[in-house]
């Protein structure tokens, strides 16, 4: 077998493995398909690709809101059209139990979102991989907004959970970056 054929075969096998591990598209109330940490009180879910398609179809009334920290937005990258309205901010207080620095919710998050939203707008919220955006959706729902979706695969996507895979632990399953969307 030639080297090119072997590389092609390996790439095909990797693509099949990733495809098999990618969760199905989740539009509307499909909370049974969405991991508990990504579920919202509104029950509205889309993938990054679906959110981008909807934004492309109506950029005037569709807003993509990236709720990650400014550091993540700047240094990891962001969707070209996304508003950065952080749901929480990084502190420098070490949380020994969780083994990372603590996050502090933004006291102005809801007001900051309301400042850019017009009546009739649809909001698609994105974080790294879905759970933080779910909490942000819930905060907006509690404030009376109803047309707010969680982009369940986020900017970076879900991590591969297969010790046999060379991609184990890497966020390559889905997400904005892995879908080939502009960022």
């Amino acid at each position: 077998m030639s080297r090119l054929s072997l590389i092609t075969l390996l790439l095909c096998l990797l693509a099949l493995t990733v495809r098999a591990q990618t969760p199905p598209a989740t539009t509307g109330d499909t909370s049974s398909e969405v991991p508990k940490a990504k579920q919202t009180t509104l029950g509205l879910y889309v993938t990054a690709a679906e959110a981008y398609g909807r934004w492309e179809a109506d950029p005037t009334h569709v807003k993509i809101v990236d709720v990650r920290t400014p550091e993540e937005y700047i240094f990891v990258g962001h969707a070209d059209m996304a508003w950065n309205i952080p749901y929480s901010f990084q502190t420098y207080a070490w949380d020994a139990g969780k083994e990372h620095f603590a996050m502090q919710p933004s006291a102005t998050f809801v007001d900051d979102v309301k400042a850019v939203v017009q009546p009739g707008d649809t909001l698609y919220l994105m974080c790294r991989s879905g759970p933080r955006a779910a909490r942000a959706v819930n905060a907006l729902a509690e404030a009376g907004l109803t047309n707010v979706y969680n982009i369940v695969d986020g900017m970076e996507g879900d991590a591969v959970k297969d010790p046999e895979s060379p991609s184990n632990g890497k966020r390559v399953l889905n997400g904005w970056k892995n879908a080939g969307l502009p960022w």
Side-chain angles (χ1 to χ4, degrees):
M1 181 178 277
S2 74
R3 184 177 181 163
L4 181 59
S5 297
L6 180 60
I7 291 171
T8 303
L9 175 64
L10 291 173
L11 287 174
C12 288
L13 288 173
L14 177 62
L16 289 172
T17 302
V18 169
R19 187 177 207 51
Q21 294 176 1
T22 303
T26 52
T27 307
D29 187 11
T30 56
S31 56
S32 63
E33 300 172 17
V34 176
K36 187 163 181 61
K38 297 180 183 189
Q39 291 182 16
T40 68
T41 56
L42 295 175
L44 301 173
Y45 312 102
V46 293
T47 64
E50 289 170 328
Y52 179 70
R54 292 179 185 185
W55 174 83
E56 256 190 331
D58 189 8
T60 304
H61 297 105
V62 171
K63 293 194 173 49
I64 296 178
V65 178
D66 189 323
V67 302
R68 296 176 301 151
T69 66
E71 294 87 354
E72 290 172 289
Y73 185 82
I74 294 167
F75 296 119
V76 175
H78 58 273
D80 293 344
M81 74 297 297
W83 293 76
N84 182 222
I85 306 175
Y87 175 70
S88 56
F89 294 98
Q90 183 75 54
T91 70
Y92 297 100
W94 182 252
D95 184 330
K98 294 182 180 177
E99 297 184 342
H100 63 73
F101 290 105
M103 299 291 283
Q104 176 69 40
S106 170
T108 62
F109 173 72
V110 171
D111 291 334
D112 293 343
V113 171
K114 285 183 173 183
V116 301
V117 173
Q118 301 299 317
D121 283 350
T122 300
L123 299 177
Y124 295 97
L125 272 56
M126 171 170 40
C127 63
R128 181 187 67 183
S129 59
R132 194 174 354 160
R135 292 189 299 273
V137 168
N138 290 342
L140 294 174
E142 190 174 304
L145 280 75
T146 58
N147 206 9
V148 187
Y149 290 72
N150 182 8
I151 300 176
V152 294
D153 48 350
M155 183 66 185
E156 295 182 62
D158 293 311
V160 172
K161 294 179 183 170
D162 177 5
E164 302 298 318
S165 171
S167 297
N168 187 42
K170 296 179 182 165
R171 295 186 176 281
V172 297
L173 287 179
N174 48 28
W176 195 278
K177 290 170 96 173
N178 298 314
L181 302 173
W183 62 284

